[in-house]
Amino acid sequence: MPLKAFRGPKVWLWRWRRNPLKRRADVAEAWVVLGAWLLTVLAGVSVGLAAARSVEHGLARERAASRPVTARVEDTVPGSTPMDSHVSSGERVWAEVRWTAADGTARTGRVRVEPGSGAGTPVTVWTDAQGRLVDRPTSASESALRAALLGVLAGVSAAAVPFTGGLALRRRLESRRMDAWDTEWARLGPQWGRMV
């Protein structure tokens, strides 16, 4: 409470009010603060939106380029008998599968399947336009969430640059103002002592 009494009440937009005691340094600081805040908001919003849009479009292209195909397990997978105790329950295991690509050629690859899957068990795999295995694409809702998170992260990172630049410039102006006060006080201080 004593600090607030020492400082006085907070006055909004005090840097922009007319005052005969306002110095050029105060005006410069006002413009620095305004510029830093505007650049912080503009950089954060524009970079965040651009990053989110880019991620969203990339994931949409990935979804459009892949398609689900039914593949068949080639050999019986461990985990169906008590002797396969090295496979823990619920853990998927690697297995060789076979599927037919869009051009009619037979393809094989390794994917994770349920333990104990027998030969010929159908498994859904994702392929690209050439029939090669790819990861399952993200759904539209997963893509939106991922794009939003990455957009926020990119926006905050971009906004930090002008924000910290504005803080550094304000500290420099404050330091110059304090040096100017010290110079003035060194010049005028001794005169006050003679008056007392």
Side-chain angles (χ1 to χ4, degrees):
M1 191 73 162
L3 182 61
K4 184 170 177 123
F6 178 71
R7 283 186 156 177
K10 186 168 181 89
V11 178
W12 288 100
L13 302 173
W14 62 270
R15 288 184 172 95
W16 299 102
R17 293 181 177 211
R18 292 189 183 272
N19 186 337
L21 299 177
K22 187 165 38 173
R23 301 161 301 228
R24 284 194 328 217
D26 296 330
V27 174
E29 185 176 354
W31 283 106
V32 165
V33 169
L34 179 66
W37 276 108
L38 283 175
L39 284 174
T40 297
V41 170
L42 287 174
V45 169
S46 60
V47 169
L49 289 175
R53 199 173 305 122
S54 174
V55 169
E56 185 76 43
H57 288 308
L59 293 174
R61 275 194 311 273
E62 193 177 287
R63 260 194 319 277
S66 59
R67 64 185 195 98
V69 175
T70 301
R72 304 266 177 206
V73 176
E74 291 211 307
D75 294 321
T76 301
V77 179
S80 60
T81 66
M83 294 180 62
D84 299 322
S85 59
H86 64 279
V87 177
S88 62
S89 62
E91 182 180 325
R92 297 176 73 96
V93 294
W94 288 101
E96 193 80 20
V97 295
R98 178 179 297 278
W99 71 95
T100 304
D103 62 2
T105 59
R107 303 285 177 97
T108 60
R110 291 181 59 80
V111 297
R112 287 189 175 271
V113 298
E114 293 293 328
S117 297
T121 302
V123 178
T124 301
V125 296
W126 291 86
T127 62
D128 62 9
Q130 288 77 34
R132 295 179 300 225
L133 283 178
V134 295
D135 290 333
R136 181 186 69 83
T138 58
S139 67
S141 60
E142 291 170 338
S143 296
L145 178 64
R146 189 179 295 181
L149 291 175
L150 289 173
V152 167
L153 180 63
V156 167
S157 299
V161 174
F163 182 77
T164 54
L167 284 178
L169 194 51
R170 276 190 69 196
R171 284 196 181 117
R172 177 128 170 99
L173 288 171
E174 181 75 23
S175 174
R176 288 180 65 192
R177 185 168 48 235
M178 288 298 153
D179 291 344
W181 281 359
D182 287 343
T183 303
E184 285 292 312
W185 186 252
R187 189 173 61 85
L188 296 175
Q191 293 176 4
W192 281 58
R194 282 183 284 177
M195 298 171 88
V196 174

